[in-house]
Each structure stands twice: as C-alpha cells, then as structure tokens.
Amino acid sequence: MSNSFDSRASRRDFLRALSLGAGATLAGSTGLAQPLSWLANDLAAERKLGVALVGLGNYSTGQLAPALQQTRFCQLAGIVTGSPAKAAQWQKQYRLPAGNCYDYKTFDRIADNPAIDIVYVVLPNALHAEYVVRAAQAGKHVICEKPMATSVADARRMIAAMEKAGRKLSIGYRLHFEPHNQAMMRLGQAQTYGAIRHLAADNGFKFDSGSTPWRVDKKLSGGGPLMDMGIYCLQGCLYTKGQVPVAVTASFTPETGTGYFKEVEAGVNWQLRFADGSVADCRTTYADNMPGRLRADATGGWLELAPAFGYGGLAGRTSKNDGLLNLPNINQQAAQLDDFAQCVLLNKPTRVPGEMGLRDVQLLQAIYRAAETGQPVSTKDVVQLIDRR
Ligand code: NAD
C-alpha cells in the first residue's frame, strides 16, 4: 500500500507518536482505524511482538503455541513453567533462547527482557490475579485467560495494576474474533430478525479421570462448569442481545454420584432477565458432553449456532435460510492474538478488555448467589460493557 511516509525514519517518528497516544485520537477522529493497519504491517515487518506463555498445560500446548506459529503480528518468544523437562522440550521444539525461559520464581526478571512484549497467563483460574499483577509490575502487556478471576476484588486489583503500569490488558475471549460468533453479535444487535425475545445457550463436558483435577478444586478454579464452560453461554447471550442483564435466577443441578463434585457444582441452570422483559435460558454441566449451542428467537425469525463455542467446526442457521451464518471456520486463537498485537502496535483499545472480564466475574458471582439463595439477584450494578458491532 502506498503512503505519504517516504522514509523509514519519518514512519518510525509517526509510529512513536502513535505509541504515545496520538494514534487513538487520530484513528478515532478521522475514522482511519482500518487504513492504519498498514502501520501495524510496517511495524510487524521490523519485529513481531514477542509473547510469553505462562503455564504450559493443555490450552497452551494444544492451541496457543500452534496458533503463534500462524500469527502475523506476534510470535512465541518465551515461556514460564515449573517443569524443567517441559522447558527443555519447548526450547527445542520452538527454538526458544534459554534466556527467554522462566520458572515461577524467576518470572519477575521478564521485566528486563525486551524480547517479551506480551505475557499470556494460561494458569488455573485462581492464579490469574497474581501473575497478571506481576506481569503488570514487569511492564508487560497482558492477555489473561477466562474466567479473568475467581473474585470481583481480584479482577479489580488486576485492572488497577495494569492501569498503573500503563499497559494493555485483554481477556482470552477468542470467540469475539470468530466469524460465526461475530455474525451473531452483528445480526442480533442490528435486530436483523426483529427484537430478540428469547435466548438459549448450553455448553458442557463430561468430567472424568482424564480431566485436569484443579477444575473441581474450588480454591484453584473458583467454581465448576459455570466458570469454565458456562461463561461462553453468558458471553454469547450478552453479545447477541447487545445488552447486560438486569437480574438473574439460577439453580444447581444434582450431584451425579461420580464423587468428583465435592467442592464445585456438577451443573447450573440459570436465567438472565433483560430490561425489555426478554430472557435467556442457559445450562452448563460437567456431567454430560454438550456440543455447545447459542440460539436467539426474535419477533421476525431466529438464528442459531450449533456447535457454537468450540475451536472449530462451528455452524449456523437462520429461520430465513439466507446463508448469513454460512461462514468459514478460522484459527480463532491466531485471530485473537493478532488482534491484540495490533492493539498494542497501534495503541488501539481491545474489544475484550479487563473491564469485560470484570463484568463477567460479577455476573458469574451473581448466578452463584442466585443458585445458593433460590432468589433473583439484581445485576443492575455490574459493568455495562458490550462488544458493539
Ligand atoms: P491445564 O491444567 O491443562 O494447564 C494448567 C497449567 O498450569 C499446567 O501446566 C500446570 O502445570 C500449571 N500450574 C501452575 N501452577 C499450578 C497449580 N498450583 N496447580 C495446577 N496447575 C498449575 O489447564 P488448561 O486447560 O490449559 O487451562 C488453563 C487456563 O486456560 C484456565 O484458566 C482455563 O479456563 C483457560 N482455558 C481457556 C480456553 C479457551 O478456549 N479460551 C480453553 C482451555 C482453557
């Protein structure tokens, strides 16, 4: 793409101005956000941003590290792990310099490593807060996996630490960068099939001896399937309706007799109520494999994703057979990572900031309170934030 910046030096000056904050103003005031992507290309050509994965479990190993081989604006540059064997294996497999590999004690030294721009926290839920705060203190931008935290206080502490550091924080909400879910946001929010009167969402899997034990250990997980799988149903209903609910009711589903669910729920059914009287009925469980579904019934038709929330194989239909949900499946994690890298490069806000993570922690806690008390719980005071399309 041609541009008026005819020397690398003047381009670099302009980019420096962007990184100091002028970019947001310029992009916002001129509507230049899209054309400015050449700037990100330009910066990426000089050096892709370096990402360090903290916690090399299933998601880092199976999804994030492979996705970071496909990204344009960032790359896997470092790791943080408690296992020397894993460190050696990852160094070899991904050609990582030994100096970019940390354990949980040496992690804070990442502050002195200019090859790491972004720290991606992929630990059990209750450990997110500590590592996000430490990454902030190290002066790094951060992506934190979902759910952001196991308490509202932790989520607020994480946001405050990132603000103090002047660095960007996003939550690992990959579906905001996925075409089928983006279409649900667009079509739902634009009321393409009329006003949405009812939503339904479910998501779950059968927890068994092969599942990671911390998921049923409350001090590490903060809760059961609601924290892990139900959060997708919650998110889906909010971004399709385009509103934050005003109240919730909920009930736990019975223990299944497996012995796994001593500390966390086996399942939850809950209902979100929106200000216009419409409702969303949601279900999540660790007792059954559910393919994951997100459906909206509106005054003039319906739209549905099934499967809705997986890493691939998503499919959608509408009542009008108009093909608007016949969309490609993509590498969601690569899209999410590249979007955040561009936010950093161009000093743009992320669509999935810490405040959205806080909103969801507030709503998850409200659902637990409603299930525990059997009473409706008001959610009028939660963060009012929607990914507007
Ligand atoms: P996992 O159990 O496979 O990996 C967790 C890693 O943390 C392991 O490498 C483990 O060794 C390490 N760890 C460090 N300290 C630990 C401790 N005290 N106890 C237990 N493990 C410890 O889990 P995962 O499935 O990779 O999930 C990690 C995070 O990623 C969770 O927050 C989860 O919700 C999230 N996740 C997100 C998605 C998504 O699609 N966005 C998918 C899977 C997991």
Side-chain angles (χ1 to χ4, degrees), residues 54-61 63-64 80-83 86 104 120-128 131 144-148 172-175 211-215 217 220 227-229 231-232 309-311 332-333 336:
V54 185
L56 306 182
N58 291 316
Y59 194 53
S60 285
T61 306
Q63 308 301 324
L64 296 175
V80 183
T81 174
S83 158
K86 270 192 203 170
Y104 298 110
Y120 196 151
V121 178
V122 204
L123 292 166
N125 307 338
L127 305 180
H128 293 177
Y131 285 88
C144 174
E145 258 315 318
K146 46 59 59 176
M148 177 183 187
Y173 288 140
R174 56 186 164 76
L175 294 174
S211 307
T212 37
W214 67 261
R215 285 189 156 77
D217 176 345
L220 283 172
M227 299 291 277
D228 195 19
M229 307 298 283
I231 190 169
Y232 292 98
F309 307 122
Y311 304 145
Q332 301 167 12
Q333 289 83 3
Q336 173 210 327

Side-chain angles (χ1 to χ4, degrees), residues 18-238:
L18 277 175
S19 71
L20 290 174
T25 317
L26 183 66
S29 64
T30 62
L32 276 176
Q34 211 45 43
L36 282 176
S37 65
W38 65 264
L39 289 170
N41 283 332
D42 219 43
L43 274 183
E46 291 189 8
R47 182 176 77 85
K48 288 182 174 186
L49 296 184
V51 177
L53 295 176
V54 185
L56 306 182
N58 291 316
Y59 194 53
S60 285
T61 306
Q63 308 301 324
L64 296 175
L68 282 161
Q69 311 311 302
Q70 295 186 30
T71 38
R72 288 175 59 208
F73 301 108
C74 55
Q75 63 187 353
L76 181 63
I79 50 173
V80 183
T81 174
S83 158
K86 270 192 203 170
Q89 196 232 313
W90 279 62
Q91 276 177 40
K92 197 166 149 216
Q93 183 174 355
Y94 292 110
R95 297 202 189 103
L96 298 172
N100 289 3
C101 301
Y102 300 86
D103 62 29
Y104 298 110
K105 287 202 185 80
T106 60
F107 171 67
D108 306 283
R109 284 190 218 146
I110 213 162
D112 305 321
N113 190 337
I116 311 291
D117 303 283
I118 297 168
V119 166
Y120 196 151
V121 178
V122 204
L123 292 166
N125 307 338
L127 305 180
H128 293 177
E130 175 187 343
Y131 285 88
V132 168
V133 170
R134 284 168 70 180
Q137 286 165 352
K140 303 300 178 183
H141 302 282
V142 174
I143 309 175
C144 174
E145 258 315 318
K146 46 59 59 176
M148 177 183 187
T150 54
S151 72
V152 169
D154 273 357
R156 289 196 197 283
R157 194 157 63 83
M158 294 153 84
I159 291 170
M162 294 301 303
E163 273 173 8
K164 186 168 173 210
R167 295 292 181 268
K168 290 189 188 296
L169 170 62
S170 78
I171 309 302
Y173 288 140
R174 56 186 164 76
L175 294 174
H176 288 250
F177 308 96
E178 191 286 317
H180 298 83
N181 282 272
Q182 288 177 327
M184 290 296 279
M185 297 176 203
R186 263 197 321 274
L187 299 171
Q189 291 176 24
Q191 304 197 349
T192 306
Y193 304 92
I196 293 175
R197 301 306 307 155
H198 186 258
L199 294 122
D202 47 60
N203 198 24
F205 73 88
K206 197 168 172 57
F207 189 95
D208 61 23
S209 57
S211 307
T212 37
W214 67 261
R215 285 189 156 77
V216 290
D217 176 345
K218 194 164 183 189
K219 63 182 181 314
L220 283 172
S221 60
L226 180 62
M227 299 291 277
D228 195 19
M229 307 298 283
I231 190 169
Y232 292 98
C233 303
L234 180 67
Q235 276 249 317
C237 291
L238 268 63

